[in-house]
Amino acid sequence: MEDAKPQAEHAFLQRLVGEWHMVSATGCQEYDPNDPQMRFTETVKSIGGLWIVSEGKGRMPDGTPTTMVLTLGFDPASGHYVGSWIGSMMTTFWTYKGWLEPDGKTLVLEAKGPKFDGSGETTTYRDVVTLHDDDSRTFSGSVIQPDGSFQQFMSSDFQRTR
């Protein structure tokens, strides 16, 4: 087997590598980035220039510590970005399939997961990572609506610290 080489699509992921902290959040909780008890940090590492692994740490609205792990890569065979997300606050294993928008700065990731209503049914979610520049980005979450549109339910702004 030949070693895989990073392709142009992998370059977007490498721009995420580093240390980040959340500076604002909507839809999740009253977030105060100056409160050490509420601070959310994220460390993103490269795996061979092909993958990134991110570990985020923070607190839930009730103060419970939480950890989240995100993996992302680009699969040339399928032509899609692929990945996964897990969090210490739930038992769902989220599997992503996504694409980079033509603007070259917006990564759209879709996953199936449980509906918020507790019905046990699943629905489609969309997470979007937008790189504004090398040191700031936005992450947002949306859920599909009956008409096929997506309704945003949360958004966070991040600044690079290293």
Side-chain angles (χ1 to χ4, degrees):
M1 176 184 255
E2 188 174 318
D3 282 341
K5 303 283 187 236
Q7 299 184 7
E9 293 85 355
H10 295 103
F12 177 87
L13 298 174
Q14 298 310 302
R15 292 182 64 198
L16 298 171
V17 173
E19 302 284 331
W20 298 83
H21 75 274
M22 189 175 4
V23 294
S24 66
T26 58
C28 294
Q29 62 186 18
E30 292 298 320
Y31 183 75
D32 178 0
N34 298 314
D35 180 349
Q37 292 296 315
M38 296 182 79
R39 180 156 258 208
F40 182 89
T41 60
E42 183 178 46
T43 301
V44 183
K45 297 178 182 179
S46 176
I47 306 294
L50 299 170
W51 299 93
I52 61 164
V53 176
S54 164
E55 182 178 40
K57 293 185 180 253
R59 292 191 179 273
M60 297 298 293
D62 68 358
T64 304
T66 188
T67 300
M68 293 148 276
V69 176
L70 167 77
T71 63
L72 288 175
F74 180 78
D75 177 8
S78 70
H80 291 282
Y81 286 86
V82 294
S84 64
W85 185 92
I86 57 170
S88 62
M89 75 295 289
M90 65 178 66
T91 58
T92 302
F93 182 88
W94 298 84
T95 303
Y96 285 127
K97 179 179 178 182
W99 61 91
L100 191 61
E101 291 288 347
D103 65 10
K105 65 178 189 171
T106 306
L107 180 62
V108 180
L109 301 165
E110 289 190 347
K112 294 281 189 190
K115 284 187 172 183
F116 289 149
D117 64 9
S119 66
E121 296 177 21
T122 61
T123 192
T124 302
Y125 291 87
R126 184 176 280 176
D127 291 343
V128 177
V129 177
T130 304
L131 281 170
H132 301 291
D133 56 43
D134 287 339
D135 295 322
S136 65
R137 65 183 167 89
T138 303
F139 177 88
S140 65
S142 303
V143 63
I144 199 165
Q145 300 299 295
D147 67 0
S149 67
F150 281 82
Q151 174 69 45
Q152 184 174 302
F153 58 85
M154 63 79 63
S155 177
S156 329
D157 295 314
F158 288 83
Q159 291 290 315
R160 184 184 302 276
T161 59
R162 289 191 320 166

